């Protein structure tokens, strides 16, 4: 009886309740009636609920990558201090959203008589189902594919095992193709269109194709088929000329302005989650002493090019480890100063020059991209959360072409060089591309300069937008989750340091075992390291927020575990390999 109750609870249809602070919300009460699926207004009310599944918090996912490091306690993907999910529906193994989508798809097919109306609404639902299943495959690999809502009497389906990843991802592609064929060809940043589906297809297909290509041990076929699909989807959207890069000619501010705008620019933003009230807790995560616990890493900072187009590493003959904070920001790609605190930085909403606050992060590179004024330091904001934008589509296209060995100068000018021009870089990239030893040392999957340079540009352009973790996962570069992340260079302990070169000291770094001096200098931050902090060379070097030893990253960590109670309830479900090592 208890088991049947659990199943019923998991599968009972519950219409997605809409958040009062979100713009898109149902205007009427939805009833389970065939009449609902004959009326355009009722169908819209139902599909409006799907938009609540757009996860605006996904833009924070760079915290789980080599772009950022925590003040003292990194995420589990860094430390490997995993705990197994136990309860039903925990750990991401939840299916309520799918039940809602399949219920709608089934009933539209049964009851919506107008063919055009039917296909338009099916397209919306299939778009969201494709995204749902992609996230499940990304997390778990093989998952059970369901194309209809289950009832408690469907015991054979309820208790089936996982379907192969290959079957599920082919079904995801079919759903996206249906959405592309049947959604409207107008543009909207808050509602899905043909172009939204093309953008998402380019992302999903590139993920799946590159995952299959680089994870050779998984023996997954058809890598190139997915990479070609990503290329075609991206190029179709590009050729439509429906979108362009946001560019007013202000190379020192345009990039940052796109993320500061209350309403994101619709010429570049393909999909955003918008709100008429405060709804996303973002700014305090970078500016609050209790929540602002992540800073950018030197690894990321070193990937921004020089303003003349050369790589930072090559321009300095590889001697970048002892560059001062001030030196690092001179003559660089303008996106760098529009993403982190820099010498001479004035925060939006203030008038005073400020430096990194070491009580809020321990790398010395404080994130500013999308970070708002001080009024937001203890609360939420109502700026658009950008989920898909044209720049990513350009990079998807360029990477797909590079992986396939097709990249040419026209591709570079259409994609990467357009992005670099907006960032104020004087010289375009030209074929054949050359990479530097920094990239060759960092990555293991390839030595192809075309691929590595496109991916370097991707890292810079999309920094702090939540995509870097997925990139490392699909590229089979998991070892980068376990490397030692560092921050700014410190020449030594117990010294007054002038960070911004204005003639006034800003910083004094103290060992974890020492105390601050009694004769403190006004305006100086006395930064005492914690027991897990350090400097890379012991008495000097780059700040290390987490110096503890880390285990090598293993292949089984690319997938998540299935909750224990799910395995107990359904013996046909098998745990992902390797997770039996976790107690």
């Amino acid at each position: 009886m208890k088991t049947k109750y659990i199943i019923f609870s998991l599968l009972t249809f519950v219409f997605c309740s809409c958040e009062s602070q979100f713009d898109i919300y149902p205007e009427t009460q939805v009833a389970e009636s065939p009449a609902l699926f004959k009326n355009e207004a009722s169908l819209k009310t139902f599909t409006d609920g799907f938009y609540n599944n757009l996860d605006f918090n996904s833009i924070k996912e760079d915290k789980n990558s080599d772009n950022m490091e925590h003040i003292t306690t990194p995420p589990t993907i860094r430390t490997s201090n995993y705990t197994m999910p136990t309860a039903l529906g925990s750990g991401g193994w939840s299916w309520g959203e799918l039940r809602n989508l399949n219920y709608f798809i089934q009933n539209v097919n049964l009851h919506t008589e107008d063919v055009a109306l039917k296909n338009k609404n099916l397209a919306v639902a299939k778009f969201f189902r494709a995204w749902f299943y992609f996230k499940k495959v990304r997390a778990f690999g093989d998952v059970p594919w369901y194309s209809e809502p289950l009832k408690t009497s469907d015991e054979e389906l309820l208790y089936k095992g996982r379907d192969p990843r290959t079957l599920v991802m082919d079904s995801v592609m079919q759903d996206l193709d249906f959405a592309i064929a049947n959604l409207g060809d107008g543009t909207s940043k808050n509602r899905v269109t043909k172009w939204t589906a093309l953008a998402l297809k380019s992302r999903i297909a590139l993920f799946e194709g590159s995952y299959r290509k680089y994870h050779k041990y998984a023996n997954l076929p058809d890598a190139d088929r997915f990479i070609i699909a990503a290329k075609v989807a991206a190029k179709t959207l590009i050729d439509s000329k429906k979108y362009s890069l946001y560019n007013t000619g202000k190379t020192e501010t345009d990039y940052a302005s796109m993320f500061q705008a209350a309403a994101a620019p619709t010429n570049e933003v393909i999909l955003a989650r918008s709100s008429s009230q405060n709804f996303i807790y973002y700014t305090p995560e970078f500016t609050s002493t209790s929540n602002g616990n992540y800073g950018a890493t030197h690894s990321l900072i070193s990937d921004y090019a020089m303003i003349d187009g050369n790589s930072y590493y090559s321009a300095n003959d590889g001697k970048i480890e002892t560059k001062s904070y001030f030196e690092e920001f001179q003559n660089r790609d303008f996106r760098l100063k529009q993403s982190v605190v820099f010498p001479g930085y004035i925060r939006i909403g203030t008038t005073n020059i400020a430096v990194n606050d070491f009580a809020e992060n321990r790398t010395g590179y404080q994130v500013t991209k999308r970070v708002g004024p001080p009024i937001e330091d203890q609360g939420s904001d109502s700026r658009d959360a950008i989920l898909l934008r044209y720049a990513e589509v350009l990079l998807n296209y360029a990477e797909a072409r590079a992986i396939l060995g097709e990249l040419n100068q026209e591709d570079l000018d259409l994609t990467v060089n357009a992005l670099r021009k907006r960032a104020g870089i004087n010289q375009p990239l030209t074929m054949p591309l050359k990479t530097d030893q920094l990239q060759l040392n960092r990555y293991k999957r390839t030595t192809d300069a075309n691929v590595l340079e496109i991916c370097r540009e991707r890292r810079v352009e999309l920094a702090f937008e939540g995509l870097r973790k997925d990139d490392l996962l699909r590229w089979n570069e998991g070892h980068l989750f376990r490397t030692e992340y560092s921050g700014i260079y410190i020449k030594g302990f117990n010294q007054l340091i002038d960070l911004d070169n204005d003639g006034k000291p800003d910083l004094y770094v103290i060992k974890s075992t020492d105390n601050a001096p009694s004769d403190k200098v006004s305006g100086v931050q006395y930064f005492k390291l914690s027991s897990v902090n350090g400097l890379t060379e012991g008495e000097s070097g780059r700040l290390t927020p987490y110096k503890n030893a880390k285990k090598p990253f293993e292949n089984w960590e690319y997938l998540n575990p299935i909750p224990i109670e799910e395995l107990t309830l359904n013996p046909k479900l098998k745990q992902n390999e390797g997770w039996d090592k976790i107690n």
Side-chain angles (χ1 to χ4, degrees):
M1 191 67 171
K2 180 179 179 182
T3 299
K4 289 202 170 187
Y5 175 76
I6 291 171
I7 296 171
F8 183 78
S9 297
L10 287 173
L11 298 178
T12 297
F13 163 65
V14 179
F15 178 72
C16 290
S17 61
C18 293
E19 302 171 25
S20 61
Q21 66 269 37
F22 190 40
D23 284 339
I24 301 172
Y25 56 92
E27 297 172 354
T28 60
Q29 181 65 38
V30 177
E32 295 186 56
S33 164
L36 162 69
F37 302 97
K38 299 177 185 292
N39 181 282
E40 183 171 5
S42 297
L43 288 168
K44 180 179 179 301
T45 297
F46 202 123
T47 58
D48 281 350
F50 298 154
Y51 289 85
N52 290 318
N53 295 314
L54 294 175
D55 181 13
F56 50 78
N57 283 307
S58 65
I59 67 175
K60 304 176 186 178
E61 271 296 298
D62 273 21
K63 293 177 180 179
N64 295 298
S65 79
D66 61 344
N67 280 356
M68 304 176 78
E69 181 68 303
H70 190 266
I71 197 166
T72 55
T73 311
T76 54
I77 199 165
R78 291 274 288 137
T79 64
S80 66
N81 295 325
Y82 297 113
T83 56
M84 285 292 292
T86 300
L88 294 168
S90 63
W93 191 267
S94 54
W95 303 88
E97 179 185 343
L98 177 65
R99 164 71 184 180
N100 198 14
L101 291 164
N102 281 340
Y103 174 88
F104 181 78
I105 290 169
Q106 181 184 69
N107 281 279
V108 167
N109 275 319
L110 287 172
H111 303 300
T112 306
E113 297 166 354
D114 183 294
V115 175
L117 183 62
K118 172 187 289 190
N119 288 340
K120 181 177 74 171
N121 282 278
L122 287 175
V124 174
K126 289 187 176 186
F127 171 92
F128 281 101
R129 186 169 69 180
W131 205 341
F132 170 88
Y133 259 114
F134 164 65
K135 289 184 285 189
K136 286 291 183 283
V137 168
R138 180 184 62 187
F140 300 104
D142 296 346
V143 291
W145 170 263
Y146 294 111
S147 58
E148 59 187 53
L150 301 185
K151 303 181 291 295
T152 54
S153 58
D154 295 328
E155 294 202 8
E156 183 175 348
L157 290 174
L158 286 169
Y159 290 105
K160 78 171 186 173
R162 297 194 279 171
D163 290 306
R165 179 183 189 131
T166 51
L167 180 152
V168 177
M169 288 308 299
D170 283 348
S171 300
V172 166
M173 291 295 104
Q174 290 172 15
D175 273 357
L176 285 171
D177 287 342
F178 186 91
I180 291 164
N182 291 282
L183 287 169
D185 61 1
T187 62
S188 171
K189 71 176 180 183
N190 292 134
R191 304 197 69 83
V192 299
T193 68
K194 172 181 180 177
W195 317 112
T196 324
L198 281 165
L200 183 63
K201 184 178 180 181
S202 76
R203 175 189 289 185
I204 290 176
L206 183 61
F207 182 100
E208 187 63 14
S210 53
Y211 189 99
R212 296 185 185 198
K213 182 177 184 65
Y214 297 124
H215 292 255
K216 297 187 184 304
Y217 63 88
N219 295 316
L220 293 166
D222 298 329
D224 282 358
R225 175 165 64 87
F226 280 87
I227 295 169
I228 291 168
K231 176 188 72 172
V232 172
K235 192 61 161 60
T236 302
L237 192 151
I238 293 167
D239 288 346
S240 74
K241 301 189 184 303
K242 294 284 186 176
Y243 294 92
S244 60
L245 295 178
Y246 173 73
N247 192 348
T248 70
K250 298 177 181 179
T251 55
E252 296 191 46
T253 58
D254 275 346
Y255 179 74
S257 297
M258 176 166 47
F259 299 94
Q260 286 294 339
T266 54
N267 61 316
E268 177 161 351
V269 175
I270 300 170
L271 181 66
R273 183 154 182 188
S274 300
S275 172
S276 58
Q277 300 178 26
N278 293 351
F279 80 108
I280 180 169
Y281 193 79
Y282 189 86
T283 294
E285 301 203 13
F286 304 103
T287 62
S288 164
T289 54
S290 58
N291 296 301
N293 296 322
Y294 284 87
T297 61
H298 178 243
S299 169
L300 171 61
I301 301 305
S302 64
D303 271 350
Y304 288 82
M306 303 299 294
I307 204 69
D308 64 5
N310 290 319
S311 85
Y312 174 66
Y313 184 88
S314 297
N316 289 283
D317 297 321
K319 299 173 182 177
I320 63 174
E321 288 304 312
T322 58
K323 288 288 183 183
S324 71
Y325 170 77
F326 180 81
E327 291 173 320
E328 288 179 313
F329 285 85
Q330 305 311 304
N331 303 313
R332 302 289 295 278
D333 177 337
F334 285 133
R335 284 172 294 191
L336 177 56
K337 288 186 176 181
Q338 295 176 75
S339 299
V340 299
V341 170
F342 60 90
Y345 167 75
I346 299 175
R347 183 180 176 184
I348 186 171
T350 70
T351 57
N352 296 325
I353 292 175
V355 297
N356 179 84
D357 189 333
F358 289 86
E360 296 165 1
N361 75 89
R362 296 287 166 88
T363 68
Y365 304 116
Q366 191 164 7
V367 175
T368 61
K369 182 175 172 180
R370 203 191 178 282
V371 171
I375 195 172
E376 295 177 3
D377 281 351
Q378 301 302 322
S380 303
D381 72 72
S382 57
R383 288 187 298 283
D384 282 355
I386 299 172
L387 303 178
L388 287 166
R389 64 184 179 98
Y390 185 59
E392 182 196 343
V393 175
L394 295 179
L395 291 163
N396 293 345
Y397 178 69
E399 186 181 345
R401 292 277 286 178
I403 293 173
L404 295 168
E406 301 172 349
L407 189 72
N408 59 33
Q409 190 62 46
E410 183 181 355
D411 296 331
L412 284 179
D413 293 340
L414 180 66
T415 60
V416 171
N417 284 334
L419 294 168
R420 287 162 68 93
K421 183 178 181 180
R422 174 170 67 179
I425 296 175
N426 296 328
Q427 295 297 322
L429 292 175
T430 57
M431 295 291 292
L433 294 181
K434 297 178 181 179
T435 195
D436 57 38
Q437 198 60 42
L438 183 66
Q439 304 304 302
L440 293 171
N441 290 344
R442 180 175 291 151
Y443 298 108
K444 307 299 182 186
R445 73 192 185 281
T446 183
T447 58
D448 187 329
N450 289 346
V451 173
L452 291 176
E453 285 305 303
I454 296 301
C455 292
R456 180 184 350 221
E457 181 65 27
R458 180 182 183 89
R459 186 184 193 186
V460 166
E461 175 66 26
L462 302 178
F464 315 132
E465 296 182 46
L467 297 174
R468 178 65 175 177
K469 179 186 176 184
D470 279 1
D471 287 344
L472 297 184
L473 292 176
R474 67 186 177 89
W475 292 337
N476 195 17
E477 300 284 3
H479 65 97
L480 291 175
F481 294 119
R482 300 288 162 77
T483 56
E484 187 174 89
Y485 301 166
S486 62
I488 68 171
Y489 178 74
I490 301 296
K491 59 184 178 180
F493 291 110
N494 304 325
Q495 300 181 34
L496 291 170
I497 301 170
D498 181 2
L499 289 172
D500 54 8
N501 207 34
D502 66 351
K504 300 175 183 177
D506 308 292
L507 181 64
Y508 186 101
V509 182
I510 308 162
K511 290 182 180 180
S512 61
T513 54
D514 293 345
N515 296 315
S518 57
D519 55 341
K520 292 183 177 180
V521 178
S522 177
V524 173
Q525 291 184 69
Y526 288 84
F527 169 36
K528 183 175 180 177
L529 301 183
S530 76
S531 60
V532 298
N533 303 156
L535 300 180
T536 54
E537 302 302 322
E539 296 296 311
S540 65
R542 294 196 169 271
L543 286 169
T544 305
Y546 187 73
K547 66 181 183 180
N548 290 7
K550 292 166 282 292
K551 296 177 182 178
F553 193 90
E554 298 186 51
N555 287 341
W556 59 267
E557 295 180 77
Y558 283 107
L559 297 176
N560 295 349
I562 298 172
I564 294 170
E565 289 186 3
E566 299 284 358
L567 301 174
T568 303
L569 186 65
N570 182 1
K572 289 185 179 179
L573 288 177
K574 303 301 180 185
Q575 184 60 276
N576 277 326
E577 183 181 352
W579 288 98
D580 55 349
K581 304 175 185 179
I582 305 301
N583 296 323

